[in-house]
Amino acid sequence: MTRTTSPDAQRFDTLLVANRGEIACRVMRTARRMGLRTVAVYSDADANARHVREADEAVRLGPAAARESYLNLEAVVEAARRTGAGAIHPGYGFLSENGAFVEALDAAGITFVGPPASAIAAMGDKSAAKARMHDAGVPLVPGYHGEGQDDALLRNEADRIGYPVLLKASAGGGGKGMRVVESSDGFQAALDGCRRESRSAFGDDRMLIEKYLVQPRHVEVQVFCDAHGNGVYLFERDCSVQRRHQKVLEEAPAPGMTEELRREMGEAAVRAAREIGYVGAGTVEFLLDVDGSFYFMEMNTRLQVEHPVTEMITGQDLVEWQLRVAMGERLPLAQDELTITGHSFEARLYAEDPEQDFLPATGTLNCFGMDLDGAGLEAKRVRLDSGVETGDVVSMHYDPMLAKLIVHGDDRAQALATLNRALAALDVRGVVTNRGFLQRLATHPDFRDAKLDTRFIERHEDTLFAERRVAPEEYAAAALIGLHQLARECESDSPWDRHDGFRLNAPHTIRIALCAPELSQGPAQDTDDAESVTVVEGKREGQGSPWQLTLNGQDLSATYAATLEPLEGDAVGVTLDGHRRRIQTRRDDNVVVMVDPQRETRLFWRRIDAIDHGHHEAESTLTAPMHGTVVALLVEAGARVEKGMPLMVMEAMKMEHTMTAPADGHVESFHFAAGDTVGQGDVLLAFAADE
């Protein structure tokens, strides 16, 4: 296709990115390659963030709270004026789908790298959008999209549609203000929670209701339109693996997609975009049922988090397309010039604890990187889009996503194998992440066989969250790795400075306690607790001879001849009785982390004589698991409660978290009220358990 420019288009040489984190860094990377000067904006919490460090200029917007900084459209527009930015790229989230922001930029003569305000408005109100899609001949899921918002009316509509139903914020997205309701009895509580989240995230608590399909796949189509009337689809992505309606793993193309179905969905997506006069990059999301029927869900009028998998299979830079279209150029390629090459996966790396209901985590990144050499990976097959570096602080104020890991393969099987090796190559220390959970997902037999639906995680909860018994070989490997790392920390030749068990005129002997990190405080450290602690003795009779490792514990007894060989990067070769394994390893404080393409194993490692055998009594208090805000107190002080009963609701990182009673008993007092800000570790309430 010949590239031409609209005569009234405004070209620009300076781009302000009105966002933060990985998407800000990613947009600036393309902008710099195109010769544009880049401007970052930041809140007080992000004054030293990576996107600020990488920009040519940066302007402070305000305090840490998003509504006072990244959502302050007047401050963003003023930052553009101050730096001479001719265009603003909104990234995703924040102001990316705010029509008033686009209108403010139009009034200021600043180009918005995205669709016109009218298109955003058309799709921003999901109820009105459904009506327009019906007129455009785009298939819809049965539901209620009306203006009436009375609680009783909504409940009656849900009863009419038939349960289960999906409650969704009309102005929402990203899983905020969304609940699955299984029965009429639970409708009001779900509605109240959705309204609270929607008001907090979008300032709008209107709801729509849809029939909840039991086993659908989430398949979305990347569309692109220019101001000259051209529109194309850059194929589809499968985003079925989700938790809390937020995507975790995405892939392109969607497995099992026929050419006919791909064309039907792609053409329907382009019709949807044309219906609202769309310009720029957009994503039309569909539910794909088991019988091949597909239904329009919504259109995201911005660049998606998962756009890199589309870039990987098409060879196109979608941010470059956005910038060129914003400059008035025609689309770089026509539909028949676009092709699919290979397969791609994206895994979202979050600072969160999957074992604690995906509780967001905060802290300082003591290390953040990727060891491609140690994993034996080609750089052209792996891409890490991140907004953080070693030393950065993960705060409570924003979404906990640290990075996106994107891989490419000649086919799905090769891409999946690369994903598993790349996950093992990630080195993240200082905060809890979902890396181990991503590995369990990516190695699950049903994921490998592409047996996907939007309830994949829920359906496989028993296996994805099952307690994995650590094999004797992993205890032995951890002991050997701990010894090796301890020896490396002391480079002195003096035997008096060594930490590897050296004794004058005697074999090297050292006794080690190993257990899971969550058991490494309190009674679990006691060597009498055979379920969690194994004693390892190492004896080496000469230089170059293998260690003799003896494991002792309940149902755990073995002896190995063991050697360790340092390899590329942070990889080591561990040999136990002639069986050699390549493992990527690192030390995170006193935890030995071992990762291979199948799993992650973390074991607390300590000299046995350094263990504190004191037993800690459980406190009758509940503490805040993260920084956040108290949303609601659900019981009165002095109330009698049963184990598991909801006591209070906290909000952090745009999501609500319900604190429940740890046992039968009563609440003695609350230490905070609704609206109060709390810090991680703050005692929230005093609780008296029954005797």
Side-chain angles (χ1 to χ4, degrees):
M1 177 181 293
T2 303
R3 180 180 297 157
T4 61
T5 302
S6 174
D8 59 350
Q10 286 189 320
R11 300 196 69 84
F12 47 86
D13 57 16
T14 300
L15 178 71
L16 184 146
V17 183
N19 217 295
R20 63 178 302 279
E22 63 84 18
I23 186 57
C25 294
R26 186 266 170 275
V27 170
M28 289 192 292
R29 185 170 64 244
T30 290
R32 286 193 299 269
R33 181 174 56 76
M34 294 177 65
L36 300 177
R37 190 165 59 94
T38 59
V39 178
V41 290
Y42 64 92
S43 71
D44 288 345
D46 280 340
N48 297 309
R50 180 177 177 180
H51 75 281
V52 175
R53 299 194 297 266
E54 292 188 356
D56 295 313
E57 294 184 46
V59 178
R60 176 185 178 272
L61 295 177
R67 63 182 177 275
E68 299 178 61
S69 52
Y70 296 105
L71 289 173
N72 185 340
L73 65 87
E74 291 86 1
V76 174
V77 173
E78 177 57 30
R81 286 199 187 100
R82 181 176 175 184
T83 57
I88 290 181
H89 193 300
Y92 45 70
F94 294 137
L95 296 171
S96 63
E97 295 177 283
N98 187 313
F101 179 55
V102 181
E103 291 172 348
L105 293 185
D106 289 343
I110 299 170
T111 298
F112 178 70
V113 183
S118 58
I120 294 175
M123 285 300 178
D125 186 322
K126 290 181 171 49
S127 296
K130 300 280 185 178
R132 295 194 67 168
M133 293 304 98
H134 179 270
D135 294 341
V138 180
L140 299 177
V141 178
Y144 172 74
H145 315 112
E147 291 296 322
Q149 291 293 307
D150 180 75
D151 287 8
L153 170 65
L154 293 178
R155 182 168 182 166
N156 288 337
E157 288 296 326
D159 293 343
R160 176 186 62 79
I161 295 166
Y163 296 92
V165 297
L166 183 65
L167 265 175
K168 296 173 66 175
S170 184
K176 309 296 190 302
M178 187 182 295
R179 299 279 198 287
V180 175
V181 187
E182 300 287 351
S183 68
S184 184
D185 291 343
F187 183 85
Q188 189 61 49
L191 178 62
D192 292 343
C194 283
R195 287 199 191 280
R196 280 197 305 268
E197 278 191 6
S198 183
R199 280 194 298 268
S200 175
F202 315 112
D204 186 335
D205 66 358
R206 290 173 301 142
M207 293 287 126
L208 57 84
I209 308 171
E210 293 178 347
K211 177 67 178 175
Y212 187 67
L213 303 180
V214 176
Q215 269 193 307
R217 288 166 60 186
H218 181 138
V219 177
E220 60 188 30
V221 178
Q222 177 71 62
V223 295
F224 231 108
C225 299
D226 62 25
H228 304 269
N230 302 303
V232 298
Y233 61 90
L234 288 89
F235 314 112
E236 79 288 339
R237 303 181 284 256
D238 193 304
C239 308
S240 299
V241 180
Q242 305 175 6
R243 56 109 174 103
R244 292 176 178 166
H245 306 289
Q246 290 184 313
K247 302 159 189 173
V248 179
L249 284 174
E250 301 102 349
E251 60 183 297
M257 181 69 65
T258 65
E259 287 301 323
E260 180 182 5
L261 182 57
R262 173 173 292 128
R263 185 183 66 256
E264 289 179 2
M265 294 182 75
E267 290 176 352
V270 173
R271 284 201 307 274
R274 291 186 188 280
E275 169 67 21
I276 61 171
Y278 200 79
V279 176
T283 299
V284 182
E285 300 189 344
F286 295 101
L287 288 176
L288 177 61
D289 212 351
V290 291
D291 63 358
S293 302
F294 62 93
Y295 305 98
F296 174 85
M297 279 199 302
E298 62 184 0
M299 182 177 185
N300 294 123
T301 54
R302 54 173 167 77
L303 194 68
Q304 290 282 92
V305 178
E306 58 274 19
H307 76 274
V309 292
T310 297
E311 294 182 324
M312 286 291 217
I313 65 167
T314 61
Q316 305 302 313
D317 184 331
L318 297 188
V319 172
E320 180 178 347
W321 279 41
Q322 284 187 295
L323 295 174
R324 293 197 179 283
V325 166
M327 291 177 180
E329 296 182 11
R330 293 181 181 272
L331 294 179
L333 296 174
Q335 190 66 61
D336 59 4
E337 295 175 298
L338 291 163
T339 58
I340 295 175
T341 302
H343 203 94
S344 180
F345 286 97
E346 175 181 289
R348 302 189 187 190
L349 183 71
Y350 284 94
E352 64 182 12
D353 188 352
E355 308 303 326
Q356 301 295 324
D357 196 26
F358 298 99
L359 191 69
T362 58
T364 300
L365 289 166
N366 299 326
C367 183
F368 184 86
M370 191 169 208
D371 180 21
L372 294 179
D373 291 337
L377 291 168
E378 300 177 77
K380 67 179 182 180
R381 296 283 193 181
V382 182
R383 169 176 161 183
L384 185 65
D385 285 8
S386 73
V388 295
E389 295 177 318
T390 297
D392 286 349
V393 174
V394 181
S395 76
M396 60 169 276
H397 300 290
Y398 313 113
D399 186 275
M401 188 170 70
L402 300 176
K404 303 180 307 194
L405 175 62
I406 310 103
V407 301
H408 184 265
D410 293 338
D411 54 31
R412 189 175 190 271
Q414 186 187 78
L416 187 55
T418 301
L419 175 64
N420 289 324
R421 296 188 74 85
L423 284 169
L426 286 171
D427 186 358
V428 185
R429 307 178 216 172
V431 299
V432 177
T433 74
N434 65 332
R435 191 264 301 278
F437 178 69
L438 291 171
Q439 283 192 293
R440 295 196 294 276
L441 278 173
T443 56
H444 194 282
D446 277 6
F447 187 81
R448 181 194 61 212
D449 295 338
K451 296 178 180 177
L452 307 173
D453 64 74
T454 56
R455 301 180 72 179
F456 184 94
I457 292 176
E458 179 182 346
R459 201 156 42 83
H460 296 291
E461 185 172 354
D462 289 347
T463 53
L464 290 173
F465 295 97
E467 183 176 352
R468 186 173 68 86
R469 187 172 181 83
V470 180
E473 293 82 2
E474 292 176 272
Y475 278 110
L480 194 64
I481 290 166
L483 288 171
H484 171 68
Q485 293 175 337
L486 198 62
R488 277 199 316 182
E489 291 170 5
C490 181
E491 298 177 356
S492 171
D493 292 330
S494 169
W496 312 112
D497 293 335
R498 292 174 62 169
H499 298 273
D500 61 355
F502 175 86
R503 296 293 184 273
L504 190 64
N505 299 321
H508 301 309
T509 300
I510 188 168
R511 300 179 72 236
I512 303 164
L514 294 165
C515 65
E518 60 268 22
L519 300 177
S520 64
Q521 300 297 325
Q525 290 189 4
D526 197 325
T527 56
D528 293 333
D529 189 343
E531 289 294 327
S532 61
V533 175
T534 299
V535 177
V536 180
E537 293 183 348
K539 297 179 181 178
R540 188 168 57 183
E541 298 294 345
Q543 189 66 30
S545 300
W547 286 92
Q548 298 300 313
L549 301 181
T550 301
L551 280 64
N552 298 307
Q554 184 175 336
D555 300 324
L556 184 62
S557 180
T559 301
Y560 298 98
T563 60
L564 182 145
E565 174 191 3
L567 301 174
E568 302 89 355
D570 60 16
V572 297
V574 172
T575 302
L576 303 175
D577 287 348
H579 180 196
R580 185 180 184 278
R581 290 173 58 203
R582 182 188 182 95
I583 302 172
Q584 289 193 265
T585 182
R586 68 260 335 175
R587 186 96 166 264
D588 193 354
D589 292 328
N590 286 327
V591 175
V592 172
V593 183
M594 302 182 296
V595 192
D596 64 26
Q598 297 299 312
R599 67 185 64 84
E600 173 186 276
T601 302
R602 303 172 65 89
L603 288 171
F604 186 86
W605 188 102
R606 270 179 93 172
R607 293 284 293 272
I608 201 68
D609 53 8
I611 293 178
D612 176 11
H613 295 280
H615 292 247
H616 302 280
E617 295 182 359
E619 295 180 315
S620 295
T621 57
L622 285 180
T623 58
M626 78 217 97
H627 298 282
T629 303
V630 175
V631 174
L633 305 181
L634 305 180
V635 299
E636 298 288 338
R640 180 80 174 76
V641 297
E642 296 179 352
K643 181 178 180 180
M645 181 179 292
L647 303 181
M648 62 190 301
V649 179
M650 285 184 59
E651 181 185 65
M653 296 181 175
K654 306 179 185 177
M655 297 294 287
E656 287 191 355
H657 307 272
T658 301
M659 314 299 292
T660 60
D664 293 347
H666 69 274
V667 176
E668 293 185 328
S669 61
F670 286 101
H671 298 169
F672 296 92
D676 287 349
T677 299
V678 298
Q680 185 175 12
D682 285 351
V683 177
L684 300 173
L685 56 90
F687 180 84
D690 291 345
E691 293 294 335

